[in-house]
Amino acid sequence: MKRIGIVGGVGPYAAAHFYRRILDLCPAVADEEYAAVILVAEQIPSRIDHQLARGPSPLPALEEAVRRLCVAGADLIAIPSATTHVYRADLLRESRVPIVDLLLEVAAHLERGDLCRPLILATEATVALRSFEPLFSSATRAIYPDPHGQRQITDFIYRVKRGEPSDRTRAEFTQCVRALLRAHPDADCVVLGCTELSVIAPAVEVAVPIVDATDVLAHAALNYRADATSPRTNKDELEVRL
């Protein structure tokens, strides 16, 4: 059985939630049937601050986490953070094993579902850099909240990072998502493009499908094929069996 290495510390609650989703989505009925997981959680500087020129580079700490996972025997690595994927190419140079590409997996999921007008909810850094868009199909047009809406999303992200009670925060976030969809009626789905938002994902329907980056990444890690050993550069080669 492959060992899934998880880079923690890139949103500690988001990483813990990702591990929980690995367990939830793994088709196991006994202890020994669950996926083997190695989690390394370094104290990693803010990727958001670095990408917005407000703080130090997190790359050394991320590289150390990847090295530790490789030494510990990980067969592939998952980074449960869309913002952190800006550093994926650098981290691949430090890794002896594949690093699943969350951004590419989400793009492939949208294309398979014929979803081409995603409302993307993510960190201000991911939005500023348009990190998802280079991997989208030519027919896909991303939608983003206006500045007021983005401030609300940023606040929810940091509420999760602070460990605020998730039930109350989830209810408020659900209302926020519904309001954003009313403001963007052409959106055909909502992409939870920050893994903190996955922690408070709406538990009820919100008129359009929700594409949860955490769940997409968890499926990809669980369905990783041993013959897929090189980093993919063409989204048409990607297959995630959801």
Side-chain angles (χ1 to χ4, degrees):
M1 180 181 290
K2 62 183 175 289
R3 295 181 180 88
I4 301 171
I6 301 175
V7 175
V10 288
Y13 283 97
H17 178 70
F18 175 72
Y19 179 38
R20 175 60 187 263
R21 293 304 289 156
I22 287 285
L23 298 178
D24 291 342
L25 297 171
C26 188
V29 295
D31 292 350
E32 66 273 16
E33 295 176 354
Y34 284 95
V37 169
I38 305 165
L39 189 151
V40 171
E42 298 286 341
Q43 292 181 311
I44 299 173
S46 170
R47 285 74 55 214
I48 297 171
D49 287 349
H50 180 247
Q51 290 169 32
L52 297 178
R54 300 190 308 223
S57 173
L59 190 55
L62 290 167
E63 290 172 337
E64 179 62 20
V66 166
R67 283 193 290 268
R68 291 190 178 207
L69 288 170
C70 290
V71 169
D75 297 306
L76 74 156
I77 292 173
I79 306 173
S81 166
T83 303
T84 306
H85 273 67
V86 166
Y87 311 98
R88 178 175 174 272
D90 294 308
L91 296 175
L92 279 170
R93 289 192 284 271
E94 296 293 327
S95 179
R96 300 196 300 265
V97 300
I99 299 176
V100 185
D101 190 337
L102 179 153
L103 303 179
L104 190 58
E105 298 284 356
V106 168
H109 179 80
L110 294 179
E111 192 164 359
R112 283 194 307 277
D114 197 26
L115 300 169
C116 59
R117 294 292 289 166
L119 174 60
I120 298 179
L121 308 182
T123 66
E124 54 185 327
T126 297
V127 171
L129 296 177
R130 299 295 196 259
S131 299
F132 283 97
E133 291 191 37
L135 299 170
F136 285 162
S137 73
S138 59
T140 301
R141 295 290 181 270
I143 302 169
Y144 299 93
D146 64 16
H148 172 69
Q150 182 59 47
R151 286 193 294 272
Q152 289 181 301
I153 296 304
T154 298
D155 180 62
F156 281 114
I157 290 169
Y158 280 97
R159 286 169 67 176
V160 173
K161 287 182 180 294
R162 292 193 298 267
E164 292 190 10
S166 59
D167 288 343
R168 182 183 64 194
T169 306
R170 178 179 289 106
E172 295 174 8
F173 178 58
T174 300
Q175 293 306 312
C176 177
V177 171
R178 286 172 168 163
L180 289 171
L181 285 171
R182 288 193 295 271
H184 300 282
D186 53 337
D188 61 7
C189 66
V190 172
V191 172
L192 300 185
C194 171
T195 51
E196 267 83 21
L197 298 178
S198 303
V199 178
I200 53 170
V204 296
E205 293 184 359
V206 294
V208 298
I210 290 179
V211 178
D212 186 335
T214 293
D215 280 10
V216 171
L217 182 63
H219 277 290
L222 288 168
N223 292 327
Y224 170 78
R225 298 188 308 277
D227 60 338
T229 56
S230 59
R232 294 183 177 91
T233 57
N234 184 345
K235 64 178 178 292
D236 293 330
E237 297 174 1
L238 186 66
E239 177 185 0
V240 185
R241 292 164 290 186
L242 298 178

